Each structure stands twice: as structure tokens, then as C-alpha cells.
Amino acid sequence: MNTKTSLPSAHAELTYDVIVLGSGAAGFAAAVTASCRGLKVLLVEKTEAFGGTSAISGGAVWLHDTDQARAAGHCLPAEQMRRYLKEVIGSGYNPQLIDAFIEHGREALRYLETQSELKYSLRPLSPDYYPDLPGGTQTGRALEIDEYDGRHLGEHFKDLKRPPDGMLLFGGMMVNRVDIQHFLSFKRSPKSLWHCLKLIGRYAVDRLNHPRGTRLTVGNALIARLATTALAKGVDLWLQATPEALIVEQGSVKGVQISRRGTTHSVLARGGVVLAMGGFAAGAQAAEQRPSTDSEHWSMSPPANVGDGQRLAASVNAAIGDNLSANFFWAPVSVLHKSDGSVERFPHLVTDRAKPGVIAVNRAGRRFVNESNSYHCFVEAMFANGGANAP
Ligand SMILES: Cc1cc2nc3c(=O)[nH]c(=O)nc-3n(C[C@H](O)[C@H](O)[C@H](O)COP(=O)(O)OP(=O)(O)OC[C@H]3O[C@@H](n4cnc5c(N)ncnc54)[C@H](O)[C@@H]3O)c2cc1C
């Protein structure tokens, strides 16, 4: 892949208004937005399942002054957000980008919530990643996705990316922040016991007809919500399809050559092509850029995210901006070697590592970090300690 090609329009097999490459939250948000405006959209996914990293993520968003925050009485001034981001980003702070984020975040979310199945709620308590910095808050910015019924996806439910087993209970049941609290308290609280019994009952019925529970939470709920709308609006979803090259005519992108089931299709886009193929953590370029340690690096990023989007963009002379304060978002990851020989990765985000009673030590047995720091800071401290991984 990754070379640009020219093709006369007359040779094209198919024409859409918009072609979106990648089926994560970015790709689906673009596909939903375009289809809601009456455009004909093709969504192309390289793997056999749609959802990408987004489907295995927490599904939370972090925005300034949303309708949900206002309704809960948290009207934080824009200047407070600017101050916080200046502190976090440092010299890479770009006022135009930050102002666009501050001014249009609410509008973008409101549009998607009005036009699609998307539905977010304010997290009652959700400290910023650097809550002690000027401008940081304990609540008012982080929203979590509402649970969703995967049965709305109909036959497409089977194609939604399944979270890793370590994130599922009983081999296929999803839970969210509230559910986890109930599972931790069910021995003490009749209300929690009832909540857990209802979840398990629903899950048991689900398993009569489905390979896993259909009550979706976190990132799976985010993708299922967007995908339900996209598919209902007539977006064509191609799985296991690989974009080979952008079709370029007279200096502008006109479409994409896509390989699917052994055939190469030349697909034209009247409006444009959206590159939403995720990050590059699983690619060779990322391995070169990571700080080196003496232990193997394990990423939660799906293996398909090797930077195809960046390479396609580079083929038409796009470039990654410089002066970035960080090019990676770190999380400590445990590796589970299963009896069938497979390996599973589990991220220590918020449910365990930051709790009272947890102490992280380096190989010398010395504490090296505030365990309740954000996962990004935690891994920065690991790097500063030469990896700090358990042998
Ligand atoms: C465990 C975990 C929890 C997280 N929690 C949060 C959270 O709560 N909030 C938050 O904001 N962020 C969170 N993140 C980060 C967040 O998930 C990602 O930043 C986000 O999902 C990226 O979305 P995306 O649409 O850009 O990429 P992705 O969701 O990765 O989607 C990219 C898609 O493109 C496909 N693709 C790749 N190459 C090609 C190709 N050549 N052709 C076609 N398709 C291709 C991939 O297979 C994939 O399906 C979390 C990440 C992890 C790992």
C-alpha cells in the first residue's frame, strides 16, 4: 500500500460522496456526520471486526462546558481550561487548535447526540489527569458513555470488536464503573446484590442466543451507538478491506484503490476521503520512537494500528506536526499467558492500580511513583526507572 496512483474517473467501479478509512470512533463520527447530511458514505475497515481501539476503550470523552456539565451546575470558564492545557502541553500549546477544541467540542457532541444514538452522561467525580495543576478540576469535564443494547445492531452485532477477555466477566459480560462498584459491594448491600443479579440474569438469557452479552458498556457501547445510526442511515461498511493507494488527479485526492476479497476496487469520492485509521503503536516506526528499556514493550493498541493512515497521508505530502509534547499515551499493561498458549494484555487504568493499599515498586523493591497518578505519568515514571517492569 501507500503509493498514490492516478486513475481516470471513467475507470472507477464505484462512486461515493465520502470514503472513510477506519472504523473507530473517529471514522464512525465522520461517517455518521456525513450520512446525516444526506451523503453516500463508504466505511472501510481493514480487520474482520469494526470498532478499533475505540471499541476496547473506556469510551469517555473530556470536553469543556458540555450541556451535561451545565445541567449539573458546573459552568467552568474557558480561561480555566486554557490555563490547564497550557500547563499540561507546555511549549507545544497551539492557541488556534485549543480554542477550536474549547469552542466547538460541546457543539460537536450535541450534534452527534441529536442526530445519532450517541448518549453521554457526566461522571460525578472524575479528576483531570493532572488535578493539582492550575485550572485542573475534580469534575465537570469527563463524560461517560451510556450503556447500550447490542441487539440494536442486528446481524452486525457479531462484527463488533470484542473486548479482551480480561475486561469481561463470566466469559462475555461487560460492566461499567457503576456495575463494578455494585459487584464490590453486593455482600453488604441488598441494592447492589439486586443490581448484580439483574445483570447476571440478563447475561444468562443473552447467552442462549448470542456469543456474548448484548448489554454493552464503555467503548463497545460508544461504537455500537454510532454504528447503529451509521448502518441505519445506509453507510456501506466493508470489513477486511485494505486501502492500497489514494487515487490522485491533478493534485487532489479523488478516491481510493481498495483491495477486498481478492479484488481491487477503484472507488471514487465526490466529496473527500477521511483518514481515520487510528494510531501507529503497533508499527515499526513506533518501536523506533519509544524510549528503550530492557524489557519487551506491550501495547493495548490493536495489532492492525501500524500507521497506515500516516503513510497514506504522507503519500500526498501531508506531515505530522512537530513540537508535540508527547507522541504516545502510556498505560501500565500486565501480560497473561493463557493455558492455550495465547497471550492477553490487561491495562491497569483506574479499577485497581490507583486504589488504597496498592504499592508499586521497582526491581530494587523501592517505591518509584505515586500509584494514583494517571496511567500516562505512571509509565513515564517506569521509563525514568529503567523500565521498572517485574522480571
Ligand atoms: C484500554 C484503553 C482505554 C482507553 N480509554 C479511553 C477513554 O476512556 N477516553 C479516551 O478519550 N480515550 C481512551 N483511549 C484511547 C482511545 O481509545 C483512542 O485514542 C481512540 O480510540 C482512537 O480512535 P480512532 O478512531 O482514531 O482509532 P481506532 O479506534 O483505533 O480505529 C482505527 C481503525 O482503523 C482500522 N485500520 C487501521 N489501518 C487500516 C487500514 N489500512 N485500512 C482500514 N482500516 C484500518 C483499525 O483496524 C481500527 O479499526 C483508551 C485506549 C485504550 C487502549
Side-chain angles (χ1 to χ4, degrees):
M1 85 166 263
N2 183 22
T3 50
K4 61 182 173 181
T5 186
S6 325
L7 187 97
S9 306
H11 291 182
E13 298 171 24
L14 286 167
T15 302
Y16 285 82
D17 293 313
V18 177
I19 302 171
V20 179
L21 305 179
S23 70
F28 267 114
V32 165
T33 304
S35 63
C36 286
R37 292 178 179 189
L39 301 176
K40 193 175 169 218
V41 180
L42 172 64
L43 182 56
V44 180
E45 167 57 44
K46 176 161 112 173
T47 67
E48 69 291 345
F50 63 85
T53 322
S54 310
I56 62 163
S57 78
V61 294
W62 188 84
L63 289 169
H64 168 67
D65 195 26
T66 54
D67 293 336
Q68 290 87 336
R70 284 183 180 191
H74 301 290
C75 296
L76 301 170
E79 201 41 49
Q80 187 176 339
M81 181 67 129
R82 283 194 196 95
R83 182 154 189 225
Y84 177 70
L85 288 173
K86 267 181 201 155
E87 292 280 346
V88 173
I89 297 170
S91 64
Y93 185 90
N94 178 326
Q96 282 86 23
L97 286 182
I98 297 300
D99 282 354
F101 171 67
I102 289 175
E103 284 161 25
H104 302 300
R106 175 180 60 232
E107 194 187 322
L109 183 66
R110 188 188 285 158
Y111 180 83
L112 287 171
E113 289 198 316
T114 314
Q115 301 291 327
S116 79
E117 294 283 301
L118 202 69
K119 182 86 186 67
Y120 272 94
S121 300
L122 186 74
R123 267 193 191 150
L125 175 67
S126 189
D128 292 336
Y129 280 39
Y130 302 88
D132 300 332
L133 286 182
T137 67
Q138 294 293 321
T139 185
R141 290 172 177 155
L143 308 180
E144 60 195 4
I145 188 81
D146 287 11
E147 68 179 64
Y148 194 58
D149 191 334
R151 289 173 293 192
H152 292 308
L153 280 169
E155 58 169 327
H156 298 283
F157 176 56
K158 67 176 183 349
D159 299 325
L160 171 62
K161 189 180 176 94
R162 183 188 164 98
D165 287 345
M167 294 183 179
L168 300 169
L169 296 187
F170 313 120
M173 186 173 110
M174 295 199 78
V175 287
N176 60 20
R177 182 183 57 80
V178 174
D179 303 329
I180 291 170
Q181 288 308 320
H182 284 298
F183 271 100
L184 291 174
S185 334
F186 77 89
K187 287 186 185 160
R188 298 187 301 274
S189 154
K191 188 177 163 209
S192 292
L193 180 63
W194 178 234
H195 183 92
C196 298
L197 288 175
K198 275 196 299 184
L199 291 188
I200 293 168
R202 155 94 189 255
Y203 175 61
V205 174
D206 273 348
R207 290 305 299 264
L208 298 175
N209 295 308
H210 300 282
R212 63 182 173 108
T214 59
R215 177 182 173 271
L216 306 178
T217 63
V218 289
N220 247 234
L222 163 62
I223 291 298
R225 283 176 173 276
L226 290 171
T228 299
T229 301
L231 294 164
K233 294 270 177 196
V235 170
D236 284 341
L237 174 60
W238 286 7
L239 299 177
Q240 291 181 286
T242 308
E244 291 178 342
L246 297 174
I247 298 168
V248 178
E249 277 179 21
Q250 296 171 347
S252 44
V253 175
K254 296 290 184 192
V256 188
Q257 271 193 3
I258 302 169
S259 154
R260 188 193 188 207
R261 298 179 187 152
T263 306
T264 298
H265 302 263
S266 298
V267 190
L268 292 192
R270 283 183 284 260
V273 176
V274 178
L275 305 182
M277 295 129 103
F280 63 102
Q285 191 195 354
E288 286 163 17
Q289 291 185 18
R290 276 193 297 262
S292 65
T293 66
D294 59 358
S295 19
E296 196 172 349
H297 186 91
W298 295 90
S299 166
M300 286 308 294
S301 183
N305 285 20
V306 291
D308 290 346
Q310 285 90 336
R311 279 199 292 279
L312 270 187
S315 76
V316 289
N317 300 325
I320 292 182
D322 51 11
N323 200 16
L324 301 172
S325 49
N327 218 355
F328 295 95
F329 195 48
W330 308 115
V333 171
S334 282
V335 183
L336 176 66
H337 295 272
K338 297 178 27 178
S339 52
D340 63 1
S342 63
V343 171
E344 191 183 318
R345 297 161 290 169
F346 183 84
H348 299 281
L349 302 179
V350 288
T351 48
D352 47 12
R353 174 183 51 81
K355 295 283 187 296
V358 174
I359 293 181
V361 293
N362 62 15
R363 283 179 177 159
R366 292 210 178 85
R367 198 162 167 253
F368 66 96
V369 66
N370 174 352
E371 294 81 359
S372 60
N373 272 352
S374 76
Y375 28 92
H376 182 73
C377 300
F378 188 97
V379 176
E380 284 181 333
M382 285 172 69
F383 284 130
N385 270 265
N389 297 1

